[in-house]
Amino acid sequence: MNAPLAPRARTVDIEDVERFDALVAAGAKSMHGWHFQSVDLRGRSQELVVLKASGAIFMGCSFAEGIEDLLRSRGALIFPTLPHIPFNAYRGHLYTGAELYTGIGELEYEAVPDALIYQWTLQAGAGRALNATLAMAMHDHAISDALDDFLTASEGTRVVGVMGGHAGARGSADFAQAAQLGRALTRQGFMVATGGGPGAMEAANLGAYLAPYDDAALDSAQRTLGAVPGFRPSITAWARAAQEVLRQFPAGSASLGIPTWFYGHEPPNLFATHTAKYFANSIREAVLLARSNGGIIFLPGAAGTVQEIFQDACENYYAADAAVTPMILVGRQHWESELPVRPLLEALAGGRTMSGHVHVVDSIEEACALLGDLPRATAAV
């Protein structure tokens, strides 16, 4: 007879020194199962010496002289900071636009962290060297962990994905429509999630951010942005226009952007208050779809948006009945004639639970009203 499986050890994630201090203050005697991510512990040597270290994991942490060797000798597993890597592979928090664009007020985009990391990915051998491969994999795992922490803290808020093309210029009707959609969804209590880039993605994050403000504020922001319609030829000017909007309206609502350095030529927008940026685009796409537990609204787009539609359709096709989420396509002309996606979706969905979750509408108002009337799916975050 087989012995019963031992219960899984409880793990504790520690992403800042305040969390460590709280555990110590609560009377902890052992660090077994504690996972430290990029924590500066140089001022906590006394506590580290007293606590039992066996079973603790330290990733990219800083220690006072002699403490690292002591912890290793007592059974701790320590992953050092990887050399020649321009990002923190063990980060415990999501990015912000301000972090990715640090210095953009004085520097050109090519000198800010987002661009420097992208340039590193293009270097010969960067994707094949062992330290680089490990760093990118650990980074993407850490980002997913941080994203789930953020969504857990927002428990009860349904995430609605907004998908659309990157080509919609600031000042265009398509950009204004996406901004209105982001604002309307946020005011309905949803958390807006986009691919985090320019075009419709930036517009939806902008609308979500400005949800607490009135129509005049949204109009003013779009006029400011319209002076620099796109990120070509100058990402610097494009980002500085966004910075000006953020300066004028500093207290916005939360939304998510989930971009990737795989498409590093498309810069992340600054209006997503929380940015989960990945190296692996396949992981990024799967994460964006899986975390959109309130459904996805697809604005008119081209190849990338069509890919996202059928990736979502595949998820819904095989999902348990209670986990199927709404798919709402905005623009009958676009999705029925210009890119006739609807007939294929309906043929695919025939006879399955997802057939009642595929909708095509003409306006964002219809999309928002429909989403508000649909029952909540039970898909887990």
Side-chain angles (χ1 to χ4, degrees):
M1 178 174 168
N2 293 332
L5 294 174
R8 291 183 62 186
R10 179 175 177 268
T11 61
V12 177
D13 293 329
I14 301 176
E15 296 157 353
D16 51 54
V17 73
E18 290 77 16
R19 174 63 168 150
F20 175 72
D21 289 344
L23 291 168
V24 172
K29 304 298 182 184
S30 170
M31 296 185 289
H32 185 86
W34 293 12
H35 296 177
F36 294 78
Q37 290 179 251
S38 192
V39 182
D40 186 348
L41 295 165
R42 289 174 292 182
R44 299 297 185 275
S45 298
Q46 182 176 346
E47 292 84 350
L48 292 170
V49 168
V50 173
L51 290 165
K52 294 179 181 179
S54 179
I57 299 177
F58 297 85
M59 296 173 283
C61 296
S62 303
F63 306 97
E65 185 175 354
I67 296 298
E68 182 173 341
D69 290 339
L70 175 67
L71 293 172
R72 287 185 193 277
S73 71
R74 293 181 174 180
L77 183 61
I78 299 178
F79 291 84
T81 300
L82 295 168
H84 313 301
I85 303 294
F87 55 89
N88 181 359
Y90 311 110
R91 64 179 297 120
H93 305 280
L94 296 177
Y95 291 100
T96 64
E99 180 184 357
L100 292 170
Y101 285 92
T102 299
I104 193 65
E106 301 78 30
L107 303 173
E108 294 296 308
Y109 170 72
E110 289 72 19
V112 305
D114 184 68
L116 294 175
I117 295 171
Y118 177 53
Q119 289 301 319
W120 173 83
T121 68
L122 300 179
Q123 294 174 12
R128 296 188 298 274
L130 179 59
N131 67 325
T133 301
L134 288 172
M136 288 189 288
M138 288 187 291
H139 170 277
D140 284 2
H141 173 81
I143 287 296
S144 289
D145 186 55
L147 176 58
D148 286 341
D149 286 346
F150 169 69
L151 294 176
T152 298
S154 307
E155 187 178 2
T157 301
R158 281 190 287 173
V159 179
V160 173
V162 176
M163 310 295 187
H166 65 269
R170 293 166 168 176
S172 68
D174 287 345
F175 190 94
Q177 174 182 244
Q180 290 286 352
L181 174 60
R183 187 168 71 154
L185 289 172
T186 303
R187 288 180 170 181
Q188 284 182 244
F190 297 108
M191 172 76 69
V192 170
T194 77
M201 295 173 280
E202 180 188 38
N205 286 130
L206 168 70
Y209 181 83
L210 291 178
Y213 295 90
D214 60 14
D215 291 347
L218 183 58
D219 291 342
S220 173
Q222 292 190 86
R223 285 195 299 271
T224 299
L225 296 175
V228 187
F231 63 90
R232 295 189 179 95
S234 172
I235 297 177
T236 303
W238 180 83
R240 287 176 180 171
Q243 265 198 330
E244 176 59 22
V245 171
L246 293 172
R247 187 192 65 78
Q248 293 175 16
F249 307 103
S253 293
S255 71
L256 277 169
I258 308 183
T260 172
W261 276 292
F262 182 80
Y263 295 131
H265 58 286
E266 292 183 9
N269 76 72
L270 283 83
F271 297 110
T273 57
H274 298 76
T275 298
K277 189 157 189 177
Y278 289 86
F279 288 100
N281 185 52
S282 58
I283 296 176
R284 168 255 192 166
E285 290 178 339
V287 164
L288 180 53
L289 293 175
R291 300 318 189 269
S292 296
N293 59 354
I296 297 179
I297 296 176
F298 298 93
L299 298 172
T305 309
V306 171
Q307 176 187 338
E308 290 162 346
I309 288 173
F310 285 103
Q311 192 170 345
D312 190 31
C314 185
E315 296 285 340
N316 276 335
Y317 185 89
Y318 290 108
D321 290 353
V324 176
T325 55
M327 302 177 65
I328 303 176
L329 284 66
V330 179
R332 293 181 187 277
Q333 175 67 23
H334 186 83
W335 296 120
E336 292 179 354
S337 299
E338 296 173 20
L339 290 176
V341 164
R342 182 179 188 175
L344 183 52
L345 273 179
E346 290 181 340
L348 186 68
R352 305 186 72 87
T353 301
M354 70 174 285
S355 64
H357 292 74
V358 178
H359 311 274
V360 181
V361 298
D362 277 323
S363 68
I364 62 169
E365 290 79 12
E366 290 177 84
C368 290
L370 179 60
L371 198 58
D373 290 338
L374 292 173
R376 178 171 185 163
T378 58
V381 172

